[in-house]
Amino acid sequence: MTSTQRWTLTVVCAATAMLMLDIAVVNTALSAIADDLDTGLSGLQWVIDAYTLPLAATVITAGSLADRFGRRRLFVIGLGLFTATSLLCAAAQSITMLNASRAAQGVGAAVMFAVSLAVLSNAFPRMEERIKALAAYGATMGGSFAVGPLVGGALTSALDWRWIFLINLPLGLMCLWIVRRFVAESIDPRAARVDRPGLATLTGGLFLLVFALLRGNEDGWASAPILACFGGAVVLLCAFVAIEARVAHPMLPLRLFRNPSFTGAQVAAFGISASLFAMWLYMTLYLQQILGLSAIEAGLVYVPGTMLNFFVAGATASVGQKVSPRVLIAGGLMLIGAGQALLTIVAVDSSWWLFLPGLLVAMVGTGLFNPTISQVALSSAPAEQSGLAAGVNDMFRQAGIAVGVAALGALVPAGAALGEGSAQSYVDGLHDALWVGAVVATAAGIASALLIRGHRRHEADVVGEVALEAA
């Protein structure tokens, strides 16, 4: 590994850790945010979704812009925006200001997320080296999400919830220096212009869907505003598909989905995010508000799973050369589903120890999944379209979190965890959400097993097929 490759891998992993932490790190700080900014459940859910929704909606456009104007240049822009808006989040004096700042932060994260895999792919052109780099990238992604509650708990308990955002400032500045000094520029000479109609319909459709899911319990699922939002979401998302099928330069080329491996990767990415990653919010509220753990204690509960995730993800660098990606991805999702099913043993008066078996099983699955799905996402498209391929996969990841938080929240009376109902009603709803999450993860595992092709053919033939389609 050359010096440039080492620095590129370091900065990509560091930047990815920051943006993934900012999805998970707020979970253990939500109680403190609710007290300080005087907000309820709806405001807390938007702390998560205000970040992930624009991330999901703009990540493909960010990938396309990076292919056209330069991946290094867009990486710098994304890092700069993410770092600046982190300061705005820390300075928020109301939940509205915090959520608006989180939305802007999500746009910066979208640029970083979309470009990170493309930058990594350019720095590691040989498949053997790329697999090892992706193992480190996947371990960072899964580990950051898992360690987020601990980091958030430690900063909230020792200092203040605002420090979960302030810590991004020195890290962001350090990453900016590394990128400008060591990361090489790369572009796609055939990159297309921005698909504005596609961006508008996708963003609007996702927003209306998430908004309706978040407000359904409070406003009534049959109320006119909620039905209108659902109807508008269907219309806009259908319009998005129609636009992508006809526009000359689509932000999401539908021909890519003719490749079953590419389709399987997106189903799998959505499945893990809409199940386990979306459950993080409600599991952390359970630990803090039902079991009475402090922010730092709740974070420590996740540490064993975090360590196991790092170990398993790192091991996929060698295992991935012998075992089909289909087996690792499908097997990982099955374990994630099993882990969520095991978590249903928790009760109002449980010890936090009962939380561990399900968590550990799920984190083994996450360790198998994350590095492998990145490999499939990149190798399912031509190298010059790596930014687009990474952006599509990241869109399905973030859309899964945004939709999952909202949809599972419809099952969990989270207000009960904030003093607005009984603890038993919260735990009953948590059980329902965990079972749904287990079904979603298992179904995604079955679908990915049927769609994603075997190891050798996947690495060679699939790229050739997509290249022919793009020609």
Side-chain angles (χ1 to χ4, degrees), residues 84-136:
T85 51
S86 294
L87 181 59
L88 293 178
C89 290
Q93 297 301 310
S94 68
I95 193 65
T96 301
M97 180 180 176
L98 175 59
N99 287 336
S101 301
R102 285 281 284 172
Q105 190 187 36
V107 175
V111 178
M112 287 197 297
F113 213 169
V115 180
S116 60
L117 278 176
V119 169
L120 207 60
S121 178
N122 183 67
F124 294 89
R126 294 176 54 201
M127 184 57 69
E128 303 81 25
E129 295 178 333
R130 186 182 297 176
I131 289 174
K132 294 178 181 179
L134 289 174

Side-chain angles (χ1 to χ4, degrees), residues 43-65:
L44 294 181
Q45 288 174 317
W46 275 112
V47 173
I48 307 293
D49 276 351
Y51 179 79
T52 56
L53 186 57
L55 206 169
T58 59
V59 70
I60 298 181
T61 299
S64 299
L65 289 173

Side-chain angles (χ1 to χ4, degrees), residues 151-161 163 295-296:
V151 174
L155 292 172
T156 302
S157 297
L159 298 168
D160 185 78
W161 67 265
W163 280 92
I296 183 65

Side-chain angles (χ1 to χ4, degrees), residues 280-446:
W280 236 247
L281 164 62
Y282 305 108
M283 292 191 300
T284 304
L285 281 176
Y286 165 78
L287 291 172
Q288 288 188 261
Q289 302 300 326
I290 305 301
L291 297 190
L293 301 184
S294 67
I296 183 65
E297 288 171 338
L300 286 170
V301 172
Y302 291 100
V303 169
T306 301
M307 301 304 295
L308 188 59
N309 172 78
F310 272 119
F311 175 79
V312 174
T316 60
S318 56
V319 174
Q321 299 180 39
K322 304 173 182 177
V323 181
S324 166
R326 174 175 54 197
V327 173
L328 294 175
I329 291 172
L333 284 166
M334 295 294 186
L335 287 172
I336 289 165
Q340 290 177 93
L342 284 173
L343 281 166
T344 59
I345 66 174
V346 299
V348 172
D349 56 353
S350 293
S351 165
W352 64 269
W353 283 97
L354 284 179
F355 198 80
L356 284 183
L359 178 66
L360 293 176
V361 171
M363 294 312 292
V364 170
T366 305
L368 293 174
F369 180 93
N370 272 327
T372 316
I373 198 68
S374 299
Q375 172 193 339
V376 173
L378 281 181
S379 59
S380 294
E384 65 271 15
Q385 290 188 318
S386 57
L388 174 63
V392 172
N393 194 245
D394 293 338
M395 183 200 76
F396 277 88
R397 280 182 179 272
Q398 303 312 317
I401 294 176
V403 173
V405 166
L408 296 176
L411 301 172
V412 182
L418 301 173
E420 300 175 11
S422 70
Q424 186 60 54
S425 66
Y426 181 87
V427 172
D428 290 342
L430 180 66
H431 288 168
D432 292 340
L434 284 166
W435 280 117
V436 170
V439 170
V440 170
T442 302
I446 294 171

